[in-house]
Amino acid sequence: MPSSSGPSIDTITEGGRVTQVGEGQEAEESAPSVMTFGAPTVGEILAERYELVEHINDDSAGRQVWRGVDVILRRPVAVVLRHPGGDSATEMLQAAVAASRVIHPNLVGVYDAIDEAERAYVVREWVDGRSLRELTAEGPLDPARATSIGHAVANALAAVHATDMVHGNVHPGTVMISDDGRVVLADARTDGADSQENDIRAVGGVLYFALTGHWPHAEAPLHGATAGHGRAVIPDAVRDAGGALAAPRQIRAGVPAYLDDLTMDLLDRQIAPPSSDVLTAELARLEVPADEQYLEQAGPLRFTSSDGEDERTPLSPAGGRKVVFGIAGLLVVALIGLLIGVTTLGGGDDPGGQAADPTPAASDDAPAPAPAAIRTLKLGPDQVRVIDPDSRARDEFDGIEKVVDGDQDEAWQTDSYYNAKFSNLKAGMGILIDLKQPQTVKSVEAVLSNRGATGQLYGGTADHPSTSSGDKALVEAYKSSQIGPTLENHGAKMVFDGFEADKKYQYLLFWVTDLPEVDQGRFKLIVQEITVQVQ
């Protein structure tokens, strides 16, 4: 994806305060700041909106990075300024406009791009936090955190690639980890040599760097970086005498084999990489919370090379390595052995020489039938609709079918609001789920793109007309039957399981009263998937 050719938004800590720099492009420490006639000054307001608060640094291309404030929305911004504007700044502005078209929680937001002839500037999101490069300076990350960061980067690239654009600048300096734990990718840019494949291989480089503290792409220097040149230098990867890359497991202990293999496969030019959306899905599956590590025992899918005809995972390219069955395969073998053993023991002669009677003796205490298995309903697009009683324009209804399409890369979303309370315009919004017939429900799970929402689940007995007044009547009728507790300021996965065992439900209302913050000063509900389990 082409983006601003201004510096990326990255952070370093200086004297206890967080600042943002043009990562990978900053000038040497001793370089004087650019101050010519007409240059910006502290307190100046650009475009009658963006107040310049502090000059942060100048990058090696002469662009200035300022910390500013949007005086209308009262939010911090980063202002990347070029002096003068005009033809010399055309590429920077065009790239910023292209970058602004892709809005995603894992991408740094681009707010504005303005050319005033005397100077041109791009206004972007201000990120309080640290870059992956700075974070890893304290030591390599644990595998779980490295996987989480790799997943966020791949997710950002999937959004970029979905528009047929390329990021072109993925490295530890443009991967940001904010103070609240959000991972964002900054400073997209591209040239003729960039490709989506290079973006994907760079995810392997990010994983390698997070696990080892070394960068495996020394042959492709960072934009603006020169060997031995200040903060732009990243340690090269460990290599053998022939120049071959050492695997993370050869450098440090504790790296799982599957993560080691995935990282090295992404870096191997002899193996075709997966698409960014497939890589995102695999990393999401591997990103298991610390309290659920037992789920990893069967091992993840592998994408590697093979000379055999084995069945491959979605990440397996043609000619990939053999899929490792691991513990799952051993369990199958053990189960077969157990069945054979039971058959042998049960079918042999008893000690008295009489054959065992295959007919069980009659008993008044017959075992109770096994409970019905829990299963996930396959919901169709006609089984969900938006409930928005306070809406006037009713323009947030499109795409609701994406919450039941089985694809977490596709999502339904509301408009953006300036606070969590829907800008004080409405009491809440919801999604009505019609199960078509009464069901014994065990749980409802809603997967959101961001943590921080507050939601409830209600049960009801009827639908209402799809109008504002009909929605209002429905919400009032349903609120007397809340299922489970309210989940306040919750994580990105909301699970409701407080169902009465002897009661059946046909209509369920997922209702949200507080929106999560998806960007500084922007609040939005993005629902990736809703699943219902029944018995």
Side-chain angles (χ1 to χ4, degrees):
M1 176 182 69
S3 179
S4 167
S5 59
S8 67
I9 299 181
D10 200 353
T11 62
I12 58 173
T13 303
E14 295 179 353
R17 66 186 177 90
V18 177
T19 61
Q20 304 212 355
V21 300
E23 188 59 61
Q25 297 206 38
E26 63 271 25
E28 292 185 77
E29 302 279 347
S30 59
S33 62
V34 177
M35 295 297 291
T36 58
F37 177 77
T41 58
V42 173
E44 184 176 356
I45 297 180
L46 306 179
E48 300 182 347
R49 178 167 186 170
Y50 306 110
E51 180 180 359
L52 300 180
V53 176
E54 180 184 11
H55 177 220
I56 302 303
N57 80 308
D58 301 328
D59 73 5
S60 57
R63 290 175 290 262
Q64 295 186 14
V65 182
W66 285 76
R67 178 169 63 89
V69 173
D70 182 333
V71 298
I72 295 178
L73 297 180
R74 303 309 303 171
R75 66 180 176 185
V77 295
V79 180
V80 181
L81 187 144
R82 187 172 188 134
H83 176 77
D87 293 341
S88 65
T90 299
E91 182 182 353
M92 179 182 83
L93 296 173
Q94 289 176 342
V97 170
S100 68
R101 296 172 187 158
V102 184
I103 299 175
H104 191 274
N106 297 122
L107 288 169
V108 165
V110 178
Y111 302 145
D112 217 337
I114 299 173
D115 188 358
E116 295 179 344
E118 183 178 77
R119 55 196 175 191
Y121 44 92
V122 173
V123 182
R124 299 192 283 180
E125 175 185 1
W126 177 273
V127 181
D128 283 330
R130 292 187 290 176
S131 69
L132 176 61
R133 184 162 73 182
E134 293 173 306
L135 191 65
T136 310
E138 301 170 359
L141 307 184
D142 64 81
R145 192 169 194 191
T147 302
S148 177
I149 290 173
H151 172 220
V153 174
N155 203 18
L157 290 176
V160 173
H161 293 176
T163 65
D164 293 325
M165 293 192 287
V166 177
H167 187 278
N169 194 27
V170 180
H171 63 77
T174 57
V175 176
M176 299 289 304
I177 298 89
S178 69
D179 291 341
D180 62 2
R182 174 179 167 228
V183 179
V184 292
L185 186 58
D187 196 19
R189 72 193 65 204
T190 186
D191 55 40
D194 291 317
S195 66
Q196 291 188 0
E197 177 178 330
N198 286 343
D199 278 351
I200 295 167
R201 295 202 184 280
V203 178
V206 166
L207 288 170
Y208 190 96
F209 184 84
L211 292 168
T212 68
H214 295 271
W215 182 241
H217 296 302
E219 74 283 359
L222 307 182
H223 290 279
T226 305
H229 216 76
R231 290 191 300 267
V233 178
I234 296 180
D236 186 19
V238 177
R239 304 174 188 274
D240 63 20
L245 197 64
R249 296 185 81 193
Q250 296 174 292
I251 300 172
R252 58 170 291 197
V255 178
Y258 66 81
L259 187 57
D260 187 271
D261 289 333
L262 175 61
T263 300
M264 295 304 290
D265 291 343
L266 288 171
L267 297 173
D268 189 345
R269 292 282 177 181
Q270 301 303 313
I271 299 177
S275 63
S276 53
D277 55 345
V278 171
L279 178 58
T280 300
E282 178 66 356
L283 286 168
R285 206 174 62 81
L286 300 183
E287 191 182 352
V288 181
D291 57 352
E292 299 179 15
Q293 290 299 317
Y294 64 89
L295 295 176
E296 294 187 89
Q297 292 178 357
L301 301 177
R302 290 279 309 284
F303 115 81
T304 46
S305 65
S306 167
D307 297 327
E309 299 277 337
D310 304 288
E311 181 181 355
R312 298 183 175 89
T313 77
L315 288 184
S316 298
R321 293 179 197 139
K322 294 181 180 179
V323 176
V324 177
F325 290 96
I327 291 177
L330 294 177
L331 289 175
V332 173
V333 174
L335 179 59
I336 294 172
L338 178 61
L339 292 174
I340 293 173
V342 169
T343 303
T344 302
L345 292 174
D349 293 341
D350 66 12
Q354 296 181 347
D357 185 355
T359 305
S363 171
D364 293 334
D365 299 324
I374 297 175
R375 58 191 176 88
T376 300
L377 281 182
K378 175 61 178 175
L379 298 173
D382 63 329
Q383 292 179 258
V384 290
R385 73 178 180 88
V386 177
I387 302 298
D388 191 8
D390 297 322
S391 175
R392 295 182 178 88
R394 303 181 69 78
D395 58 355
E396 297 171 271
F397 286 48
D398 293 340
I400 187 60
E401 70 281 354
K402 295 177 181 178
V403 304
V404 292
D405 63 359
D407 183 0
Q408 291 194 16
D409 290 335
E410 296 288 335
W412 168 79
Q413 57 186 311
T414 68
D415 290 338
S416 292
Y417 296 87
Y418 70 78
N419 67 23
K421 296 292 187 182
F422 294 89
S423 300
N424 303 321
L425 297 174
K426 58 182 74 175
M429 287 184 68
I431 299 173
L432 182 67
I433 307 166
D434 179 3
L435 304 182
K436 295 297 188 182
Q437 62 183 16
Q439 305 261 14
T440 301
V441 183
K442 301 300 291 183
S443 70
V444 174
E445 178 184 289
V447 179
L448 314 181
S449 67
N450 292 76
R451 63 178 64 248
T454 294
Q456 298 95 19
L457 188 71
Y458 300 107
T461 59
D463 198 349
H464 290 251
S466 182
T467 63
S468 179
S469 59
D471 285 357
K472 189 165 296 187
L474 183 147
V475 172
E476 289 303 315
Y478 276 46
K479 280 192 173 180
S480 61
S481 302
Q482 182 168 346
I483 299 166
T486 298
L487 302 182
E488 296 186 35
N489 193 25
H490 204 265
K493 181 183 290 187
M494 307 182 82
V495 179
F496 301 89
D497 54 9
F499 291 87
E500 298 178 32
D502 58 349
K503 186 175 181 179
K504 293 190 176 183
Y505 301 82
Q506 177 173 342
Y507 294 98
L508 301 168
L509 174 61
F510 172 52
W511 183 251
V512 174
T513 57
D514 290 84
L515 300 171
E517 187 173 17
V518 299
D519 202 348
Q520 293 185 11
R522 292 172 55 235
F523 296 79
K524 176 188 290 191
L525 180 67
I526 304 175
V527 183
Q528 296 172 316
E529 201 71 20
I530 291 180
T531 54
V532 178
Q533 287 193 323
V534 298
Q535 192 171 46

